[in-house]
Amino acid sequence: MVTPFIPAFISVCGGLLLVIGLILYFPLDNKSQLLTTVQIIVVISILLVVVILGFILAKTSQLQFTGDSTTLEIQKLTQQVHYFRDIADILVRSKVWAPGLKEYIDEEFTNLNYFLVKEFYKGRSKLALEYIEEKDRYGETEILYLETKAILLNDPSKGRVDNYMNPKEYDSRMLKKWAEHKVGTGWNHYFGFKYNQFKEELDVSRIYERHQEKIINYAVQIDTIRYQDVGFSEELISKLGMHLSDEVIPQLLALTLQAVKRVPKIMNIAFTLVVLLIIFGVFQPIAIILFNLEEVFSFISISVVLSVLMFLMLSIYPFITSQINK
């Protein structure tokens, strides 16, 4: 049932051949035996429907349990992203940046965002190309400022951060952009092993003490064990950046995409089999018995039910194998 195309094809072909064979070779004077066979088909169909419905209910419970676990993990990671964004908001508003940098970006490149700069080669933004030509006025830290602002965006197509608020849940488009461009690595790069090189442009001591305490508090709430004994410094911001880019965003993106997946293919197949069995294995045979319909309807019922049985027999092994290997 994992890749049911070949079993389905064989079963359909077998069913068609069976119908043709019954029409051509079944003795018409043997109606009583045909009715007995139809009654057996009804019993088989009902048993199969019960079994498949049991499977559907069990699978639904399993999916619900998995969904509940996924939801809890998504909520946990979402809250962590909220804290990272709160830290980014403090950094954006702080005086850590070289004098004039924020005004330069916010006024001359108002609608420019980090993603447009990283994707300048696509030629979608003349503003990005203009920025590329003028960059490095502030020792390359302009790109770090844009990256930090990008953490505050709720829409990857926007450049301005207006009315910053943490959303209830993050759009997968936003998460994909953050993950694609590894947002957070700039913190690790500029505040980490390259900090001595950028000390003049980035001075963490210029961040107000109460804001330093807030950043520490947010860090501890993100991961108590990892940050409980870490004081405020450029090293803390560097570690936070690596944590965000390497762990939190990729995990949240993966779980968000998993949560919005459609009903598994196997559930659709199971529902299809139930419908076929009820129509051709229960309703149609009952109509044949009650209204004495033509023999061809009996042949169709027999063929469809046996085809379903054949399909189940051919596809059960790969399904079991896939479940064991998970």
Side-chain angles (χ1 to χ4, degrees):
M1 281 187 184
V2 181
T3 1
F5 305 108
I6 294 176
F9 178 75
I10 294 172
S11 302
V12 170
C13 290
L16 290 173
L17 290 174
L18 184 58
V19 170
I20 295 170
L22 287 170
I23 291 172
L24 294 176
Y25 301 109
F26 187 81
L28 297 177
D29 58 345
N30 207 349
K31 273 196 169 184
S32 61
Q33 184 179 348
L34 184 60
L35 285 175
T36 302
T37 305
V38 167
Q39 291 171 0
I40 294 172
I41 287 297
V42 173
V43 174
I44 293 173
S45 299
I46 291 172
L47 290 174
L48 285 175
V49 167
V50 171
V51 170
I52 296 173
L53 285 177
F55 168 79
I56 290 172
L57 291 173
K59 195 72 176 175
T60 301
S61 298
Q62 179 187 346
L63 290 171
Q64 185 177 1
F65 175 77
T66 305
D68 291 342
S69 303
T70 301
T71 301
L72 289 174
E73 188 63 23
I74 286 175
Q75 290 173 349
K76 174 186 172 184
L77 290 167
T78 297
Q79 185 57 60
Q80 289 182 348
V81 175
H82 289 349
Y83 292 137
F84 278 112
R85 282 160 58 90
D86 291 335
I87 292 170
D89 181 50
I90 290 174
L91 291 177
V92 165
R93 293 185 292 106
S94 75
K95 294 184 178 181
V96 71
W97 315 101
L101 182 148
K102 290 199 290 184
E103 292 76 13
Y104 169 65
I105 295 295
D106 293 342
E107 293 174 13
E108 292 196 36
F109 297 96
T110 306
N111 295 315
L112 181 67
N113 70 26
Y114 180 68
F115 310 119
L116 290 174
V117 174
K118 298 293 283 187
E119 297 171 4
F120 75 94
Y121 55 87
K122 295 181 181 179
R124 293 177 180 172
S125 172
K126 291 181 180 179
L127 200 60
L129 294 173
E130 183 183 335
Y131 165 80
I132 293 295
E133 292 173 356
E134 294 189 17
K135 73 173 185 177
D136 298 348
R137 286 194 182 184
Y138 295 89
E140 300 179 15
T141 54
E142 309 98 311
I143 193 68
L144 177 62
Y145 180 66
L146 284 170
E147 180 180 351
T148 305
K149 281 178 64 178
I151 298 173
L152 301 176
L153 296 176
N154 291 330
D155 184 339
S157 65
K158 304 294 184 183
R160 297 173 60 90
V161 180
D162 296 323
N163 301 320
Y164 157 70
M165 289 181 64
N166 285 323
K168 185 177 180 182
E169 58 186 33
Y170 290 98
D171 188 342
S172 61
R173 293 182 307 129
M174 193 70 250
L175 292 171
K176 284 177 183 177
K177 279 293 184 184
W178 283 338
E180 179 186 353
H181 297 296
K182 295 185 72 68
V183 168
T185 52
W187 289 2
N188 178 244
H189 177 76
Y190 287 91
F191 290 104
F193 58 93
K194 288 283 187 177
Y195 184 66
N196 287 333
Q197 181 180 336
F198 297 102
K199 254 186 175 181
E200 291 185 11
E201 291 81 13
L202 298 170
D203 187 353
V204 294
S205 65
R206 290 199 295 258
I207 299 175
Y208 293 132
E209 189 174 334
R210 67 178 185 278
H211 287 163
Q212 294 180 16
E213 292 174 358
K214 277 188 176 182
I215 290 174
I216 294 172
N217 183 48
Y218 288 136
V220 170
Q221 291 183 76
I222 290 168
D223 191 324
T224 305
I225 297 174
R226 189 178 308 202
Y227 299 113
Q228 63 180 349
D229 296 322
V230 180
F232 181 80
S233 66
E234 67 278 1
E235 183 184 354
L236 173 61
I237 300 174
S238 173
K239 286 182 177 180
L240 286 165
M242 181 173 286
H243 189 184
L244 176 65
S245 64
D246 290 356
E247 298 180 41
V248 176
I249 288 176
Q251 289 172 14
L252 181 56
L253 174 60
L255 289 173
T256 300
L257 294 177
Q258 178 183 327
V260 299
K261 276 185 179 178
R262 295 179 179 177
V263 176
K265 185 188 294 184
I266 192 169
M267 297 288 277
N268 293 327
I269 294 170
F271 278 116
T272 302
L273 295 180
V274 167
V275 170
L276 288 173
L277 288 169
I278 289 175
I279 293 174
F280 295 101
V282 179
F283 291 158
Q284 186 166 293
I286 290 174
I288 291 167
I289 295 169
L290 291 177
F291 304 110
N292 196 26
L293 299 178
E294 295 290 332
E295 288 81 1
V296 68
F297 291 103
S298 300
F299 299 156
I300 292 172
S301 290
I302 293 168
S303 300
V304 169
V305 174
L306 292 180
S307 294
V308 170
L309 274 172
M310 187 185 301
F311 174 79
L312 290 171
M313 291 299 295
L314 291 173
S315 58
I316 193 70
Y317 177 74
F319 170 69
I320 291 173
T321 304
S322 71
Q323 294 297 304
I324 292 173
N325 292 332
K326 277 187 179 179

